[in-house]
Amino acid sequence: MERTIVEEVIKKVGQKVKVCGWVHTRRDHGKIIFIDLRDRSGLLQVVFAPNFAPAHELANSLRSEYVVAIEGTVNARPEKMINEKIPTGKVELVGEALEILNEAKTPPFEIDSPQDAGEEIRLKYRYLDLRRQRMKNNTIMRHKIIKAVRDYFDHLGFLEIETPVLTKGTPEGAREFIVPARLWPGKFYVLPQSPQQFKQLLMVAGMEKYFQIARCFRDEDTRGDRQAEFTQIDVEMSFVSQEEIWQVVEALMIEVVEKLYPQKIISQKPFPRLTYAEAMAKYQSDKPDLRKDKKNADELAFCWVIDMPMFKYSAAEKKAVAVHHPFTMPNLEDMAKSPDEPLKWRAYGYDLALNGSEIWGGSIRIHRRDIQQKVFEILGVKQEEIERRFGHMLEAFSYGAPPHGGIAAGLDRIVSILQDEPNIREVIVFPKTGDNRDLMMAAPNIIGKKTMKEAHIELASDVENNETVEETATAD
Amino acid sequence: MERTIVEEVIKKVGQKVKVCGWVHTRRDHGKIIFIDLRDRSGLLQVVFAPNFAPAHELANSLRSEYVVAIEGTVNARPEKMINEKIPTGKVELVGEALEILNEAKTPPFEIDSPQDAGEEIRLKYRYLDLRRQRMKNNTIMRHKIIKAVRDYFDHLGFLEIETPVLTKGTPEGAREFIVPARLWPGKFYVLPQSPQQFKQLLMVAGMEKYFQIARCFRDEDTRGDRQAEFTQIDVEMSFVSQEEIWQVVEALMIEVVEKLYPQKIISQKPFPRLTYAEAMAKYQSDKPDLRKDKKNADELAFCWVIDMPMFKYSAAEKKAVAVHHPFTMPNLEDMAKSPDEPLKWRAYGYDLALNGSEIWGGSIRIHRRDIQQKVFEILGVKQEEIERRFGHMLEAFSYGAPPHGGIAAGLDRIVSILQDEPNIREVIVFPKTGDNRDLMMAAPNIIGKKTMKEAHIELASDVENNETVEETATAD
């Protein structure tokens, strides 16, 4: 018999069906055994009574999280037995045949409990944590948000273009992960902090409207609610003004909220705009929380912060560094007015804040080789290093680079705010701990000596745990 | 004035418009200068004549690939001047005002030429190569294929779930890239060959219907038409038969072809099915090309090859290895019939071939701990190693793993066949060379000493080129 998912059972009163799923709970009332069966679509009450003896007998051995297939007849429940709390509460299934597809040890925490287990144990057994309604819902809504973002950009004629993960370093301020190149002894790939250079090169290539849901990597020390790998909504456009970029993003955010979170209220449309100077003067923050009620998760206060500064003085580096990144276009009027005081220059740079979090940030980019060269000089990068690190960008700009600009969002943050979750780990299906461990997979881990040798590297002499292991080949 | 894209100009005869783009070609007829302007949507003829003197004068300095903004009036062309070869061939733009947005050096190869430059030069200047119509079309069709795949799975209730890139090794036969873990001296992340373990764990988590357009990594030696990073359509389902998986994939492939390639003919529907034994006996191939005319790119001959063998003897390893991977479910009848002759076992494993290329491959998976343990034993993996490498999978299987199976496709290969391209590099926007170099970015490359030290690694003593470099901080 073909399987029926639980939420469809309610349409089949009086019919025979087969359902599959997990034993969510079990209750015995005298000789009658009730189970709530859970599948991806919901919960369904199943009744095993002695008149179907083999099924009833086997049902005695059912424990929480056993995997079962059950055949039986769908009955309407009597009025007083209706359970309004679940969508299938008007019916129950009479269990006539039962097959145990797999058994289950007692889980380390209760799937059914609203009480949270500790985060370490939840992450180690993420495959059990994800069975809980809250996590399943986060996973579903994340999928729907990303789908809505893709549909939106596709509809506007943007192309989603995949950019490399094994690439070269980018000058965006964070420490980067490195990958030894086996075929090129002594050389390394770098995992991208963002597709910044690629998306600008796509503009040079004439693609004009690019977006990507892109995996990005930052090897940061534990710093608040960050992840070593995270997901970015990445956008770049040619022949555009700041205004056009803002409008594309603003309409996207409104569409996502209205489509998927109709109960939420956007406090001001169009989104208010503050210059960086205004935001700092009025709110002492470049991502002010403009909600009337700061505890109201259903109030969404978006706010543009524009005219960001181009450079700032870094005490650590004892020189100017870019506030955003060195590909940002400085304000041309400021350059003309104060050519020798770059710390006074504003940039064509902007952020979008939501309820006090920065969710989008971007800028108009430099498309002229002379201005890009000037910015690198202000940053104190020597000509040899400019050529080595950015020569390919400068060269690309000399073959007809169009004026262009873009913006990018932290998708994990957006989902966590919309789902009213306290941190992004709750909306990442397989997150890492704050110190970059995957507790479920036990990664990072020691690797085989042969692997390290092939990568032309050795552990540094100060590494104490230098135990390495051999691995048996298991597949062709 | 707001910009009009080239393909919209034809709707605005008699009106003033502004267009932006690149100088594709320039021709002078006496004092009249003609240019073909190229933007993302197509080509448009623009005429500069002396009656608009400043524009005409500036137009004299235009060279190929200059970036320009032009304002003017759209004129219908006289009947005999109509160019049927381009969609805007019935109009031309009278160039009344011209702004040069950026100049361009002479490109290293002609954008307009159907003649191919050498691949090395094309890859180094990929941002110019992508300006060519053929590459732009590949990029657009790749986007459309991926969008159609996502729409299809979303419509069927599958969730797209992102799985980690920084993870642990998987036993799928290829060499893997490693990433030193700065916070965990002596330990490494591994880049995934596929999301295999994660998608199986998602089935344990009760997600039931998963898909992902996933980036995967294999550190292989130059071996035919492979890439170090590639894109996989990854699918997994619970409570399914092989038959159901085949039908999901078959309907997907038919939908993509009929929607995006209506000129192509699928030679047989439903797709023919051969057992592995039949395919080898009849065609001496496990991916037979069943086209009537092997040179016909518009004929698509899909063919299922099923009942793949579970193990094969590896002369190199002097023992059995898994033909697919060790999570594949052996045929239970074969196990019962020949318990001591695993090389005779078939697996519930299957491939889908298209015109002689394997494009999809998958299997029903082991969901029972005892069978998984048995397979590892046959593969000669010792208990200690089983626990260390796969303990998390075996443990997950003990908490109520549902029966499940899945399949995955090489997306790059599918796009290259549908686009009639000779290799996958033509349909990957930023590919690497056969020896894993990104010629445009100059990756892999040497890295700073500080970076290596922080990663707790050193170059192996046999590495000759151990020059390393310092990097100036450029961003906050």
Side-chain angles (χ1 to χ4, degrees):
Chain A
M1 192 185 300
E2 203 177 305
R3 175 198 180 195
T4 301
I5 60 171
V6 155
E7 70 178 2
E8 301 288 331
V9 165
I10 196 153
K11 298 175 191 163
K12 300 194 173 178
V13 174
Q15 297 177 39
K16 296 255 184 205
V17 300
K18 175 182 176 182
V19 293
C20 298
W22 287 260
V23 175
H24 190 62
T25 56
R26 170 185 158 175
R27 301 177 304 284
D28 293 10
H29 284 228
K31 292 205 165 164
I32 312 290
I33 299 167
F34 292 89
I35 69 160
D36 278 346
L37 181 83
R38 186 187 71 239
D39 74 6
R40 70 176 189 276
S41 68
L43 295 172
L44 172 71
Q45 179 166 288
V46 184
V47 191
F48 294 98
N51 53 331
F52 292 98
H56 179 256
E57 192 170 330
L58 191 56
N60 255 314
S61 66
L62 291 179
R63 300 285 175 272
S64 282
E65 301 306 316
Y66 272 36
V67 186
V68 294
I70 303 167
E71 292 183 25
T73 305
V74 183
N75 279 353
R77 297 198 204 180
E79 195 71 35
K80 66 186 168 65
M81 303 294 281
I82 286 174
N83 179 353
E84 299 287 358
K85 287 186 199 151
I86 59 173
T88 63
K90 289 186 176 166
V91 299
E92 65 182 12
L93 183 69
V94 177
E96 297 165 4
L98 167 65
E99 184 186 0
I100 295 178
L101 299 172
N102 216 342
E103 301 185 347
K105 291 196 296 193
T106 303
F109 48 83
E110 277 184 56
I111 307 300
D112 188 32
S113 168
Q115 201 76 25
D116 241 358
E119 191 171 20
E120 292 248 330
I121 197 96
R122 287 177 56 209
L123 291 179
K124 178 167 181 193
Y125 297 96
R126 190 62 157 184
Y127 47 84
L128 299 178
D129 191 37
L130 290 169
R131 288 183 186 170
R132 295 160 61 233
Q133 186 55 42
R134 168 183 162 202
M135 299 310 289
K136 188 159 73 176
N137 191 42
N138 286 349
T139 306
I140 292 169
M141 292 311 296
R142 182 182 176 107
H143 164 79
K144 288 190 175 176
I145 290 168
I146 294 178
K147 184 70 170 61
V149 170
R150 286 199 158 103
D151 289 348
Y152 174 85
F153 282 112
D154 177 71
H155 186 72
L156 289 183
F158 283 75
L159 296 178
E160 182 160 17
I161 297 175
E162 298 147 274
T163 55
V165 166
L166 294 170
T167 181
K168 193 177 174 178
T170 48
E172 292 175 63
R175 209 184 267 110
E176 298 173 313
F177 288 100
I178 56 174
V179 183
R182 185 176 53 85
L183 298 180
W184 299 95
K187 296 192 173 182
F188 292 78
Y189 303 97
V190 172
L191 304 185
Q193 294 179 56
S194 86
Q196 183 64 34
Q197 297 190 43
F198 289 106
K199 68 177 175 175
Q200 292 194 240
L201 291 169
L202 285 170
M203 296 304 104
V204 179
M207 295 297 168
E208 294 195 35
K209 292 171 110 178
Y210 147 91
F211 86 103
Q212 186 183 189
I213 309 291
R215 194 71 57 86
C216 303
F217 305 86
R218 298 191 179 190
D219 186 10
E220 296 183 297
D221 293 319
T222 312
R223 198 169 104 183
D225 186 20
R226 303 285 190 98
Q227 285 277 303
E229 52 181 310
F230 58 97
T231 301
Q232 182 162 303
I233 310 173
D234 200 42
V235 179
E236 198 79 5
M237 301 164 74
S238 294
F239 307 113
V240 285
S241 61
Q242 297 188 101
E243 186 65 42
E244 287 165 289
I245 294 169
W246 300 340
Q247 282 178 13
V248 164
V249 168
E250 198 156 323
L252 167 66
M253 295 314 295
I254 291 170
E255 182 166 310
V256 166
V257 170
E258 292 184 347
K259 195 168 164 182
L260 299 175
Y261 296 90
Q263 78 283 11
K264 291 191 188 271
I265 307 295
I266 296 174
S267 52
Q268 197 179 333
K269 286 187 289 192
F271 301 165
R273 294 175 187 178
L274 295 168
T275 66
Y276 175 83
E278 287 166 351
M280 294 307 286
K282 195 162 173 191
Y283 302 101
Q284 295 78 51
S285 168
D286 58 0
K287 45 190 178 196
D289 185 347
L290 299 188
R291 278 178 294 181
K292 290 179 198 74
D293 172 3
K294 305 268 185 289
K295 288 181 182 162
N296 184 355
D298 279 342
E299 183 185 347
L300 298 174
F302 292 94
C303 169
W304 287 105
V305 178
I306 64 175
D307 288 346
M308 306 289 282
M310 178 70 204
F311 300 106
K312 67 179 210 182
Y313 182 77
S314 162
E317 300 288 337
K318 296 196 178 60
K319 68 172 192 68
V321 294
V323 167
H324 190 186
H325 55 60
F327 304 118
T328 304
M329 178 75 95
N331 183 300
L332 296 175
E333 289 168 28
D334 293 353
M335 282 181 85
K337 205 165 65 182
S338 318
D340 301 322
E341 294 173 288
L343 288 172
K344 287 190 177 169
W345 301 353
R346 291 165 298 172
Y348 297 111
Y350 35 80
D351 285 348
L352 180 65
L354 168 59
N355 294 1
S357 290
E358 179 202 323
I359 55 168
W360 289 84
S363 61
I364 298 295
R365 325 298 185 186
I366 298 169
H367 67 281
R368 275 170 43 195
R369 186 179 171 127
D370 55 339
I371 300 178
Q372 188 68 71
Q373 174 81 25
K374 173 85 183 157
V375 165
F376 283 133
E377 285 167 12
I378 291 168
L379 293 169
V381 190
K382 293 197 196 73
Q383 195 58 34
E384 172 278 327
E385 188 180 339
I386 293 175
E387 288 301 328
R388 174 168 45 80
R389 290 175 67 193
F390 310 113
H392 59 289
M393 294 296 286
L394 293 172
E395 177 147 38
F397 290 164
S398 69
Y399 285 110
H404 61 286
I407 194 161
L411 177 88
D412 309 301
R413 177 75 50 212
I414 290 175
V415 179
S416 75
I417 294 172
L418 291 175
Q419 285 294 101
D420 195 21
E421 286 287 2
N423 66 65
I424 63 173
R425 294 185 300 285
E426 302 295 351
V427 298
I428 295 174
V429 173
F430 295 113
K432 292 184 177 57
T433 58
D435 56 3
N436 289 356
R437 283 175 301 154
D438 181 331
L439 299 179
M440 181 181 75
M441 300 296 281
N445 214 319
I446 52 176
I447 57 167
K449 277 202 176 75
K450 182 163 163 263
T451 303
M452 226 179 299
K453 187 170 180 197
E454 286 177 338
H456 312 286
I457 58 166
E458 293 168 0
L459 295 183
S461 48
D462 62 340
V463 175
E464 280 176 32
N465 173 14
N466 59 0
E467 170 199 9
T468 59
V469 293
E470 302 303 325
E471 302 210 331
T472 307
T474 55
D476 184 35
Chain B
M1 193 186 299
E2 202 177 306
R3 174 198 181 195
T4 301
I5 60 170
V6 155
E7 70 178 2
E8 300 288 331
V9 165
I10 196 153
K11 299 175 190 162
K12 300 195 173 178
V13 173
Q15 298 177 38
K16 297 255 185 205
V17 300
K18 175 183 176 180
V19 293
C20 298
W22 287 260
V23 175
H24 190 62
T25 56
R26 171 185 157 175
R27 301 178 304 284
D28 293 10
H29 284 228
K31 292 206 165 166
I32 312 290
I33 299 167
F34 292 89
I35 69 160
D36 278 346
L37 181 82
R38 186 187 71 240
D39 74 6
R40 70 176 190 275
S41 69
L43 295 172
L44 173 70
Q45 178 166 289
V46 185
V47 191
F48 294 98
N51 54 331
F52 292 98
H56 179 256
E57 193 171 327
L58 191 57
N60 255 314
S61 66
L62 291 179
R63 300 285 175 272
S64 282
E65 302 306 316
Y66 272 36
V67 186
V68 294
I70 303 168
E71 292 184 26
T73 305
V74 183
N75 279 353
R77 297 198 204 181
E79 195 70 36
K80 66 186 168 65
M81 303 294 281
I82 286 175
N83 179 354
E84 298 287 359
K85 287 186 199 150
I86 59 173
T88 63
K90 289 186 175 165
V91 299
E92 65 182 12
L93 182 69
V94 177
E96 297 165 4
L98 167 64
E99 184 186 0
I100 295 177
L101 299 172
N102 216 343
E103 301 185 346
K105 291 195 296 193
T106 304
F109 49 83
E110 276 184 56
I111 307 300
D112 188 32
S113 168
Q115 201 76 26
D116 241 358
E119 192 171 22
E120 292 248 330
I121 197 96
R122 287 178 56 210
L123 291 179
K124 178 168 182 193
Y125 297 96
R126 189 63 157 184
Y127 46 84
L128 299 179
D129 191 37
L130 290 169
R131 289 183 187 170
R132 295 161 61 233
Q133 185 55 43
R134 168 183 162 203
M135 299 311 288
K136 188 159 72 177
N137 191 42
N138 285 349
T139 306
I140 292 169
M141 291 312 295
R142 183 182 176 106
H143 163 79
K144 288 189 176 177
I145 291 168
I146 294 178
K147 184 69 170 61
V149 170
R150 286 200 157 102
D151 289 348
Y152 174 85
F153 282 111
D154 177 70
H155 186 72
L156 288 184
F158 283 75
L159 296 178
E160 183 161 15
I161 297 175
E162 299 147 273
T163 55
V165 166
L166 294 170
T167 181
K168 193 176 174 178
T170 48
E172 292 176 63
R175 210 184 266 111
E176 298 173 312
F177 288 101
I178 56 174
V179 183
R182 185 176 54 85
L183 298 180
W184 300 95
K187 296 191 173 183
F188 292 78
Y189 304 97
V190 172
L191 304 186
Q193 294 180 56
S194 86
Q196 183 64 35
Q197 296 190 44
F198 289 106
K199 69 177 176 174
Q200 292 195 240
L201 291 169
L202 285 170
M203 296 304 104
V204 178
M207 294 297 169
E208 294 195 36
K209 292 171 109 177
Y210 147 92
F211 86 103
Q212 186 183 190
I213 309 291
R215 195 72 58 86
C216 303
F217 305 86
R218 297 190 181 191
D219 186 10
E220 296 183 297
D221 293 320
T222 312
R223 198 169 104 183
D225 186 20
R226 303 285 189 98
Q227 286 277 303
E229 52 181 310
F230 57 97
T231 301
Q232 182 161 303
I233 310 174
D234 200 43
V235 179
E236 198 79 5
M237 301 165 74
S238 294
F239 307 112
V240 285
S241 62
Q242 297 187 102
E243 186 65 42
E244 287 165 290
I245 294 169
W246 300 340
Q247 283 178 12
V248 164
V249 167
E250 198 156 324
L252 167 65
M253 295 314 295
I254 291 170
E255 181 166 310
V256 166
V257 170
E258 292 185 346
K259 195 168 164 182
L260 299 175
Y261 296 89
Q263 79 282 12
K264 291 190 188 271
I265 307 295
I266 295 174
S267 52
Q268 197 179 334
K269 286 187 288 193
F271 301 165
R273 294 175 187 178
L274 295 168
T275 66
Y276 175 84
E278 287 166 351
M280 294 307 286
K282 194 162 174 192
Y283 302 101
Q284 295 78 51
S285 169
D286 58 0
K287 45 190 178 195
D289 185 347
L290 299 188
R291 278 178 294 182
K292 289 178 199 73
D293 173 3
K294 305 270 186 289
K295 288 181 181 162
N296 183 355
D298 280 342
E299 183 184 348
L300 298 174
F302 292 94
C303 169
W304 287 105
V305 179
I306 64 175
D307 289 346
M308 307 288 282
M310 178 70 204
F311 300 107
K312 67 179 210 182
Y313 182 77
S314 162
E317 300 288 337
K318 297 197 177 59
K319 67 173 192 70
V321 294
V323 167
H324 190 186
H325 55 59
F327 304 118
T328 304
M329 178 75 95
N331 183 300
L332 297 175
E333 290 168 28
D334 293 353
M335 281 181 85
K337 204 164 67 183
S338 318
D340 301 322
E341 295 172 287
L343 288 172
K344 287 190 176 168
W345 300 353
R346 290 165 298 172
Y348 297 111
Y350 34 80
D351 286 348
L352 180 65
L354 169 58
N355 293 2
S357 290
E358 180 202 323
I359 55 168
W360 289 85
S363 62
I364 298 295
R365 325 298 185 186
I366 298 169
H367 67 282
R368 275 171 42 196
R369 187 179 172 128
D370 55 339
I371 300 178
Q372 188 67 71
Q373 173 81 26
K374 173 84 182 159
V375 166
F376 284 132
E377 285 167 12
I378 291 168
L379 293 169
V381 190
K382 293 197 196 73
Q383 195 58 34
E384 173 277 327
E385 188 180 339
I386 294 175
E387 288 302 328
R388 174 168 45 80
R389 290 176 67 193
F390 310 114
H392 59 290
M393 294 296 286
L394 293 172
E395 177 147 39
F397 290 164
S398 69
Y399 286 110
H404 61 286
I407 194 161
L411 177 87
D412 309 301
R413 178 76 49 212
I414 291 175
V415 179
S416 75
I417 295 172
L418 292 175
Q419 286 294 100
D420 195 21
E421 286 287 2
N423 66 64
I424 63 173
R425 295 185 299 285
E426 302 295 352
V427 298
I428 295 174
V429 174
F430 295 113
K432 292 185 176 57
T433 58
D435 56 3
N436 289 356
R437 283 175 301 154
D438 181 331
L439 298 178
M440 181 181 75
M441 300 296 280
N445 214 320
I446 52 176
I447 57 167
K449 278 202 175 74
K450 182 163 163 264
T451 303
M452 227 179 298
K453 188 170 180 198
E454 287 177 338
H456 312 287
I457 58 166
E458 293 168 0
L459 295 183
S461 48
D462 62 340
V463 176
E464 281 176 32
N465 173 14
N466 59 0
E467 171 198 8
T468 59
V469 293
E470 302 303 325
E471 301 210 331
T472 307
T474 55
D476 184 34

